[in-house]
Every structure is written in C-alpha cells, then in structure tokens.
Amino acid sequence: MSSSTNLSAWVHTLRFEAEDIISVDLRPADGVVFPSFDAGSHIDLHLPNGMVRSYSLSNSTTESQRYVVGVLKDRASRGGSRCVHEQLRVGVKLEISAPRNNFPLHEDATHSVLVAGGIGVTPVLCMARRLKELGKRFEFVYLARSRKNAAFIADIEALGVPVTWHFDDEQGGPPNLTALLGRRAVNASEHYYACGPSVMLDNFEKTCAALGHTQAHIERFSAVEVAAATDAKASFTVELRASGKTFEVTPDTDLHKQLIASGVFIPFSCEEGICGSCETRVIEGEVDHLDSILTLAERAANAVMMVCVSGCKSRRLVLDL
C-alpha cells in the first residue's frame, strides 16, 4: 500500500558485503529531505514487484542525507529479498517510509553488549557507530556460520572497538552464549542487545534471564508463531472511531483483511507482526496480541495493537482509525 507520507529515494550504490548479502545506499530524490533516525531504526522499501519490506539501517545516525540497509538473499524468500538482489539497480527510484524504531538504543547505559547474528548485524552496527561517537563503553559480539557469510567486517574493524568473532566452521560448532554473556557481573545499568536468527534470539533471551541480565533487548527478522488465546473470539464487531466505519470479523475472515476492505489506509509491510508499521491505538476492547514486538507490559496495557496479525478477546473492538 502507498501513503502520502512516503519518501521518494533513488539507489545510489549497491555493494557486495558477503555471500548473498548486499548493502543498498539510498539517497533522497530532488526536493526530498530524509528525516533523522536513531540507532536501531528500520525503513520500509516499496519494491518494484509491489511488495513492501522492512530493513534495518546500518549507517551512522549523523548522516542526514542517506540511508544504508543490508539485505540477505533469503533462500526462503517470498519475493522481497530476491527482488532487492535481482531487480534493484543503481539509479532506480522507489518509495520508502520514514524511519521507525522498535529496537531503541539506551544511550545512558554504563556499558552495552551488542550481539549480532548473521544479517542481524545491520542495526547492531548502527548502534556500535552511535556508541563510538558518544564515547560510550561497549563490546561487540559477531556470530555467523562462516566468515564468508559475515557482512560489514571491514566497517566493524574500522571502529577500533573490542570485537569477539565466532564463525561456526572455524570454531567447530555454534557459540556458547553463556560463556560469552557471562563474562561480566550482573549490573542493572548495563544493556544487552541482539539481532539475528530466531534460534539465536531465543537462546539469547534464555541465557540473559539465567545470568540475571535484566536489560536484554532483541529484534526479530522473522515472526515467532504465537497461538491464539483460548478465549479469543472467532467473531467480533470492529468500530473505526475516526472514520465512523463498523464491520464484523467472522471465522471466514480476519481483522487484517477487513481493514483493507474498509478502505481506511493503514501501512502494512511484513504482515507478520514484526515490523510495527501497522501499530494502531486501541480505544476499547481486549486485544489478543499475536505479534513479536510488544513487551508483556505493553500487551497488558492494551493501548496499541499490531492489526496485521492480532485478534480480539472481547465482542467489540474500537480502534483509532
């Protein structure tokens, strides 16, 4: 879907970063000003094949007139990453969204531990650049199957900061996160970040919890399957307060489809509950949260929902649309 809030950009540079990984350097079209962004942010690319996909920004937040993303050509691609690799060319113009951030960096931390798994290095590298600019203490842990699969190695080395490299084929197996994350004493003012494959992130969360590292943050590139609650309603009424529209969700459809049919614009990108583009304010009703973004506290607050995947536990749902 398109929106008047989108930005027009053109592909300035395509660069090989690692096996099946390229970086895309985007510059603003004439008359366009790119909004500033914080470390951990991502943007949506409206691709030539009609798909909309989210990618994290890897460049420095001080660079005001370019956005750089890294894209892995996923073997299980539904068409997004394949389109980036096979159809984007230097000079191609496309629509992009303004930056959003579901993975913010806590710049006041006394120490930060950044863990990147494969292509998950993109937002982590942006964080490292920001912490370096601020003169903050941090360490970088980079995990990949092999060195040939690791993007941005030269960029990371150029930062001149402590880095732990772990390549499975060189180390004889996957990393021991307990050993890597247990090197520091528990300190509530220290923050731990990870982005990468779901298996790694699940392990990271369990390890941080076991070690007592309470300030642990993750960003997922693929959704975690969440089962609907046992008390979720198969049918419920939805009121769109701002537009005055009302419709029914039934077992034959879902909220996402009905919102599209209603003609009320909502930005959808991943359609899996991981990018946050469809976040919508909830006025009334109890949400069945099925996304992979909101924290337990945010879910309990029931103030917002990701309408692309979530449902409802009450007979009526009122949204600020």
Side-chain angles (χ1 to χ4, degrees):
M1 302 179 72
S2 182
S3 166
S4 59
T5 60
N6 287 336
L7 307 166
S8 182
W10 60 281
V11 178
H12 179 273
T13 308
L14 295 171
R15 191 176 83 170
F16 174 85
E17 301 292 352
E19 186 174 283
D20 288 332
I21 298 176
I22 60 172
S23 62
V24 183
D25 183 333
L26 297 163
R27 305 294 173 93
D30 291 344
V32 174
V33 176
F34 280 176
S36 60
F37 65 97
D38 300 319
S41 295
H42 65 273
I43 59 173
D44 296 338
L45 303 189
H46 293 249
L47 299 172
N49 65 357
M51 291 186 165
V52 181
R53 290 293 181 265
S54 299
Y55 297 104
S56 296
L57 297 172
S58 64
N59 57 308
S60 170
T61 59
T62 63
E63 296 177 328
S64 60
Q65 285 301 290
R66 74 170 185 149
Y67 294 152
V68 180
V69 300
V71 182
L72 167 69
K73 187 176 183 181
D74 190 347
R75 292 187 179 89
S77 171
R78 293 177 296 163
S81 66
R82 187 181 305 116
C83 179
V84 171
H85 278 253
E86 298 178 0
Q87 295 187 38
L88 285 195
R89 295 293 182 267
V90 171
V92 166
K93 285 193 175 182
L94 69 162
E95 295 287 296
I96 66 173
S97 73
R100 299 189 306 277
N101 199 339
N102 301 320
F103 190 42
L105 176 67
H106 296 261
E107 296 182 353
D108 59 347
T110 58
H111 186 85
S112 301
V113 178
L114 311 178
V115 182
I119 192 57
V121 69
T122 47
V124 175
L125 174 56
C126 185
M127 289 178 169
R129 286 179 161 136
R130 178 59 177 164
L131 292 169
K132 175 75 172 180
E133 291 158 1
L134 293 172
K136 295 288 188 175
R137 293 172 53 245
F138 71 99
E139 58 190 272
F140 201 121
V141 178
Y142 196 170
L143 318 173
R145 292 191 303 273
S146 68
R147 197 174 294 271
K148 67 180 182 179
N149 300 123
F152 301 111
I153 288 181
D155 298 75
I156 295 168
E157 291 177 334
L159 292 174
V161 299
V163 182
T164 298
W165 306 93
H166 180 100
F167 303 115
D168 292 354
D169 60 349
E170 296 177 13
Q171 301 293 326
N176 181 338
L177 282 186
T178 299
L180 291 172
L181 302 180
R183 296 180 293 195
R184 300 185 61 83
V186 174
N187 186 332
S189 65
E190 297 189 351
H191 287 252
Y192 289 69
Y193 304 84
C195 184
S198 290
V199 172
M200 186 206 86
L201 295 181
D202 292 342
N203 193 9
F204 172 85
E205 287 189 304
K206 292 176 184 177
T207 302
C208 285
L211 292 172
H213 298 318
T214 57
Q215 302 290 353
H217 318 278
I218 67 168
E219 181 166 64
R220 296 183 182 274
F221 284 155
S222 58
V224 175
E225 186 172 346
V226 181
T230 55
D231 57 344
K233 305 299 184 187
S235 300
F236 54 94
T237 300
V238 179
E239 177 189 337
L240 307 182
R241 180 64 55 84
S243 60
K245 297 184 177 183
T246 301
F247 56 78
E248 298 293 321
V249 172
T250 69
D252 296 326
T253 184
D254 58 36
L255 177 58
H256 181 197
K257 293 175 183 176
Q258 291 294 79
L259 284 168
I260 293 174
S262 74
V264 176
F265 174 76
I266 303 170
F268 292 113
S269 177
C270 70
E271 301 182 64
E272 295 182 311
I274 58 173
C275 76
S277 63
C278 68
E279 181 177 313
T280 301
R281 191 168 76 89
V282 177
I283 297 175
E284 181 184 325
E286 185 180 1
V287 178
D288 181 25
H289 294 286
L290 303 178
D291 64 274
S292 300
I293 300 175
L294 297 177
T295 65
L296 292 176
E298 289 169 333
R299 293 183 179 196
N302 202 60
V304 297
M305 70 182 295
M306 304 305 153
V307 294
C308 70
V309 291
S310 296
C312 190
K313 297 180 180 180
S314 53
R315 292 292 183 187
R316 178 179 171 81
L317 180 66
V318 182
L319 301 176
D320 187 19
L321 290 171

